[in-house]
Amino acid sequence: MPATIRNPGFPLRQAAALALALVAPFAAPAETTPRDDVAAFAVLSAKDGLVNASVSSIAQDSKGFIWLGTQGGLARYDGSAFRTFENEPFDENSLSGSLVQTLFLDAGDVLWVGTYNGLNRFDIGTETFTRYVYDPARPDSLSNDLVIAIARDAKGRLWAGTLNGLSRLDEETGAFERYLHDPEDPHSIPNNTVRSMLLDSRGTLWIGFTGGGLATYDYERDRFDRWPRAGGEGPPASASLQSIAEDARGNLWFGAWGTGLVRYSPADGSFRTWVLPDNRIYVINA
């Protein structure tokens, strides 16, 4: 059972030289005609209080606070200053790991934090953490401590994609159902290393994997359908499907590492790929 605690107060991704660039409207001098096509970048770094220059994930809560997952902890930015939540080795009331890989902002301003040392539920309002970690003695624990992707499905259940399989959480009991690759089962996940997840507007849960594998969850049979389906198209081969996003028209976009930007059109079932000058796509925001 997880313990509810309070905080008082590749390598999966290479560290960037600059931590974060915030895009703001360009303020032109009074004597210059304003331009709408120019953006100014405010660079935030350690000198501004950012705990670490490697930022792997960003979220914004309902009050406007920016939350950053870094390799030095969870950072909150209020527009002028940073506050950091990090792991304290001798304090069980701290974040389970300071190497943060992913963030998922849930309803009610609950922030799920995936780290290299487990999954954390963080209530922003009360600053209360609930930890979930891998326990080799418990088959109903998290399948691996390195949590890479987090999502909810159409039934409201929380999923954690890890370095070793998918884990679905029963929030009432704190127990997980594990889903692993089985070479003898075509309806198991195609690879144990999960890279991305998305619940689309039609209620389909999409999961991207290392090796370029793609699957959708079958709610009725509690199993997975791999792509391409029989007789249909699928995404092109890639090292990893790093990111999945949906645009306003319902098209899905995939960041296929080493291959390019891939669009899936549900209307006709087609995939199209755009090759970019640098095809190492880490994240997509549609």
Side-chain angles (χ1 to χ4, degrees), residues 194-238:
V194 180
R195 292 301 322 186
S196 53
M197 288 194 286
L198 173 77
L199 177 66
D200 72 15
S201 60
R202 293 169 290 275
T204 302
L205 182 64
W206 296 82
I207 309 104
F209 300 84
T210 290
L214 177 65
T216 51
Y217 178 62
D218 184 332
Y219 292 89
E220 293 185 2
R221 297 177 177 86
D222 190 27
R223 68 184 194 183
F224 299 88
D225 295 321
R226 301 180 189 177
W227 291 65
R229 293 176 175 175
E233 280 193 79
S238 69

Side-chain angles (χ1 to χ4, degrees), residues 87-115:
N87 174 255
E88 297 291 344
F90 303 104
D91 182 6
E92 294 185 356
N93 298 328
S94 63
L95 190 66
S96 66
S98 290
L99 287 170
V100 178
Q101 176 63 23
T102 190
L103 300 176
F104 175 74
L105 186 65
D106 211 347
D109 273 351
V110 169
L111 188 65
W112 293 88
V113 185
T115 76

Side-chain angles (χ1 to χ4, degrees), residues 175-269:
F176 287 88
E177 181 76 21
R178 296 178 182 176
Y179 297 84
L180 300 171
H181 173 65
D182 180 352
E184 303 299 323
D185 182 2
H187 289 287
S188 67
I189 59 176
N191 189 298
N192 278 334
T193 303
V194 180
R195 292 301 322 186
S196 53
M197 288 194 286
L198 173 77
L199 177 66
D200 72 15
S201 60
R202 293 169 290 275
T204 302
L205 182 64
W206 296 82
I207 309 104
F209 300 84
T210 290
L214 177 65
T216 51
Y217 178 62
D218 184 332
Y219 292 89
E220 293 185 2
R221 297 177 177 86
D222 190 27
R223 68 184 194 183
F224 299 88
D225 295 321
R226 301 180 189 177
W227 291 65
R229 293 176 175 175
E233 280 193 79
S238 69
S240 178
L241 289 180
Q242 292 287 115
S243 180
I244 309 174
E246 183 180 18
D247 66 25
R249 296 182 178 180
N251 296 313
L252 294 180
W253 295 84
F254 302 92
W257 188 271
T259 298
L261 180 64
V262 180
R263 184 189 68 191
Y264 169 62
S265 300
D268 60 11

Side-chain angles (χ1 to χ4, degrees), residues 66-79:
I66 302 294
W67 294 87
L68 310 172
T70 82
Q71 290 193 4
L74 175 65
R76 189 195 73 180
Y77 184 60
D78 62 8

